[in-house]
Amino acid sequence: MVKTLLLLSLSRYRGFTLFLTFLFYTSYHLSRKPISIIKSQLHRNCSTLIRPPNLNGTDNETWCDWAPFDQDNYKTLFGAVDNSFLVAYAIGMFFSGIFGERVPLRYYLTIGMLLSGLFTCLFGLGFYLNIHSIWYYAFFQAMNGLVQTTGWPAVVACVGNWFGKGKRGFIMGVWNSHTSVGNILGSLIAGVFVSSAWGMSFIVPGIIIASTGVLCFFFLVESESDLLARILKASQSRIADLEEDNEKEPLLQNSSSNEEIFSSPGQSNSISSEPAEEHTKAISFCGALRIPGVMEFSLCLLFAKLVSYTFLYWLPLYIANVAHFDPKEAGDMSTLFDVGGIVGGIVAGLVSDQTGGRASTCCVMLILAAPMVSVHSYQRLAIGMLLVCGALVNGPYALITTAVSADLGTHESLRGNSRALSTVTAIIDGTGSIGAALGPLLAGLISPTGWNNVFYMLITADILACLLLSRLVYKEVRGWCGHSPRHRG
């Protein structure tokens, strides 16, 4: 009876952990999105607006812009602000996983979210303090990029600790919709304030992510063994109190019998083995790189993330320029790309679970994404096109950063070492973040020559991502044909 209740408790905590980590990373992405929404507000076409009669200054062309983004080099400055975040994020990610293996995840996430909230709010305060220095905005974006590296390795490690490989692709595909949900909410929240007081477009998300950091501190349970250890500790403390108060024979004779009561079937050694697990040596950076598949998926993610983050940071501005929408309308329409990303992540996870082909699923979606991206180069904006393009671009990105990372972090070559998951996740996402930094930077440099050239760059990146997975795809296809055993990842 006690074991049955314990299993129910574990099931509830598993679902609760999935919800909490979903909420946490939603807030991470929610706080990243406002910068893409306010770009079209910081630099506008002032000739179409009515100038207030009491406004000082004589420049009729830039009176409505926010310095220093009021000059012809505004796209370059936007690229610099974007890359302050993304370069810091890419560099920090390689170290984040190492820290994540050695620091309690609950504390790690809490500190990261509180600091991210602080730096996001400080960026928004630039509006109210009337700050016009590019260095102010670049600095706080860089600091935010560093602290946001605490998020991804930690939440993937938590989910990987609670869920096995069986339906990992589908579960993590659904769970990974937090990326798109965060982008959508970030766009909508920023859109409310963008035309009136764009500083609040940052301050409100900053308060939200800081609040989720407080929730993390009080409610996150990192793994099943952590939960069982807490239950065991609480029961032993209760028994000791009863013994001291009543001076009677203990209700439970020894700790071994106590462990037996609070152990679930198939997990009878989960607590007793915890001390040994605590002393398992964390995997080194080079050791993680030697895991089969880590290099290929890391480099593939570099190009996949280049495409995804270019859309993330530049799509609202592109829509505003091409379709001549105001900043709020452009931001709202750009959320369709993220809605498609939710569907794409779920479909990619489900298909890869059924076929066992993580690499093949990614490759097919990347091949289909290339012609969809090319449609953008002809400046044809349609709801259906944005949805489909979002699904095909974000599907492989979502699969690699979740199920693939979890598979490789628990690869059979590790021989049961459970302390590699955070490091492997950080290596894969850190390499991908290099592409995330390059994409918006290149878009800022290339866009003055024409939007078509930006989309040609994205198509090239999709093709390169496919080529990098060719060896793994070949291996999976041979497995399906019966030439060798089929392995995921």
Side-chain angles (χ1 to χ4, degrees):
M1 184 63 178
V2 175
K3 290 183 177 181
T4 302
L5 291 173
L6 183 58
L7 286 174
L8 288 173
S9 178
L10 286 173
S11 178
R12 289 171 182 170
Y13 265 95
R14 187 178 291 116
F16 185 57
T17 301
L18 198 68
F19 169 75
L20 278 182
T21 51
F22 181 95
L23 184 65
F24 297 157
Y25 212 69
T26 295
S27 68
Y28 272 94
H29 261 265
L30 182 150
S31 63
R32 295 179 195 177
K33 186 64 177 177
I35 186 64
S36 68
I37 303 300
I38 70 160
K39 284 178 180 176
S40 53
Q41 178 68 21
L42 297 179
H43 187 94
R44 308 170 70 185
N45 184 0
C46 301
S47 63
T48 63
L49 302 175
I50 299 175
R51 178 171 178 163
N54 59 345
L55 187 67
N56 296 325
T58 59
D59 194 338
N60 293 325
E61 294 184 358
T62 63
W63 66 266
C64 65
D65 297 335
W66 185 271
F69 306 103
D70 56 344
Q71 303 302 315
D72 292 338
N73 66 340
Y74 71 97
K75 289 183 180 179
T76 302
L77 295 181
F78 284 150
V81 172
D82 291 342
N83 276 275
S84 298
F85 178 96
L86 294 169
V87 171
Y89 185 88
I91 294 172
M93 185 59 72
F94 288 105
F95 300 97
S96 178
I98 297 173
F99 287 118
E101 300 288 0
R102 294 161 174 80
V103 178
L105 297 178
R106 182 165 64 96
Y107 300 149
Y108 197 52
L109 278 169
T110 298
I111 293 171
M113 284 187 276
L114 290 174
L115 289 176
S116 182
L118 172 64
F119 293 132
T120 302
C121 289
L122 286 171
F123 190 101
L125 283 175
F127 172 80
Y128 295 99
L129 299 177
N130 202 30
I131 296 174
H132 297 279
S133 169
I134 185 66
W135 297 108
Y136 176 87
Y137 299 107
F139 174 76
F140 284 114
Q141 277 289 84
M143 294 305 296
N144 199 12
L146 278 176
V147 297
Q148 285 231 345
T149 61
T150 58
W152 191 241
V155 295
V156 171
C158 282
V159 174
N161 289 339
W162 281 92
F163 291 90
K165 289 187 178 181
K167 294 182 179 179
R168 186 177 275 171
F170 174 70
I171 290 171
M172 285 193 153
V174 175
W175 173 75
N176 191 64
S177 62
H178 52 48
T179 299
S180 296
V181 171
N183 290 340
I184 292 169
L185 291 176
S187 297
L188 296 177
I189 292 172
V192 171
F193 305 103
V194 65
S195 298
S196 55
W198 62 258
M200 292 301 294
S201 297
F202 290 89
I203 293 173
V204 172
I207 293 172
I208 291 174
I209 189 173
S211 300
T212 56
V214 176
L215 289 176
C216 176
F217 180 79
F218 286 107
F219 296 108
L220 181 65
V221 179
E222 298 175 16
S223 64
E224 291 184 6
S225 60
D226 186 27
L227 174 63
L228 293 171
R230 291 186 187 188
I231 295 174
L232 177 59
K233 184 177 180 179
S235 66
Q236 289 174 331
S237 176
R238 176 60 177 162
I239 293 166
D241 290 342
L242 289 173
E243 290 176 349
E244 183 177 345
D245 293 342
N246 301 321
E247 296 182 355
K248 294 181 179 180
E249 185 177 353
L251 297 176
L252 299 178
Q253 296 296 328
N254 53 51
S255 62
S256 62
S257 61
N258 198 11
E259 288 179 21
E260 183 180 352
I261 289 177
F262 288 101
S263 297
S264 59
Q267 294 177 325
S268 57
N269 296 323
S270 61
I271 298 176
S272 60
S273 64
E274 186 183 10
E277 193 172 296
E278 287 291 329
H279 292 87
T280 301
K281 185 178 180 181
I283 193 170
S284 66
F285 184 87
C286 293
L289 285 176
R290 287 193 291 267
I291 298 172
V294 167
M295 286 293 293
E296 288 95 334
F297 278 113
S298 296
L299 293 173
C300 173
L301 185 63
L302 186 151
F303 292 103
K305 216 167 178 181
L306 183 152
V307 177
S308 181
Y309 269 66
T310 301
F311 276 102
L312 174 67
Y313 280 90
W314 287 91
L315 184 58
L317 183 62
Y318 171 72
I319 293 173
N321 287 351
V322 172
H324 306 293
F325 287 0
D326 67 33
K328 185 179 186 304
E329 290 174 338
D332 290 346
M333 188 170 183
S334 70
T335 62
L336 295 172
F337 183 83
D338 293 300
V339 173
I342 295 175
V343 178
I346 295 172
V347 170
L350 187 60
V351 171
S352 67
D353 274 345
Q354 296 299 315
T355 62
R358 308 286 200 212
S360 300
T361 302
C362 291
C363 194
V364 170
M365 296 186 80
L366 288 167
I367 291 172
L368 294 175
M372 287 304 303
V373 171
S374 69
V375 174
H376 280 284
S377 67
Y378 294 101
Q379 299 184 352
R380 296 173 183 172
L381 289 169
I383 292 175
M385 184 201 68
L386 285 171
L387 289 170
V388 174
C389 190
L392 294 174
V393 168
N394 285 334
Y397 162 38
L399 185 62
I400 294 172
T401 54
T402 54
V404 169
S405 296
D407 287 351
L408 295 175
T410 54
H411 195 271
E412 58 187 11
S413 64
L414 296 171
R415 298 177 182 178
N417 184 354
S418 63
R419 300 187 65 189
L421 186 53
S422 185
T423 300
V424 170
T425 301
I427 288 174
I428 292 175
D429 199 48
T431 306
S433 296
I434 296 174
L438 285 174
L441 174 63
L442 292 174
L445 296 174
I446 296 173
S447 58
T449 67
W451 285 107
N452 285 357
N453 295 327
V454 175
F455 291 110
Y456 295 152
M457 173 194 74
L458 300 181
I459 293 169
T460 302
D462 266 337
I463 294 171
L464 291 173
C466 289
L467 292 176
L468 286 165
L469 290 181
S470 57
R471 186 187 71 85
L472 296 177
V473 171
Y474 176 72
K475 182 179 178 181
E476 289 176 354
V477 172
R478 282 182 59 86
W480 294 333
C481 296
H483 292 287
S484 61
R486 183 174 68 195
H487 298 288
R488 293 178 182 173

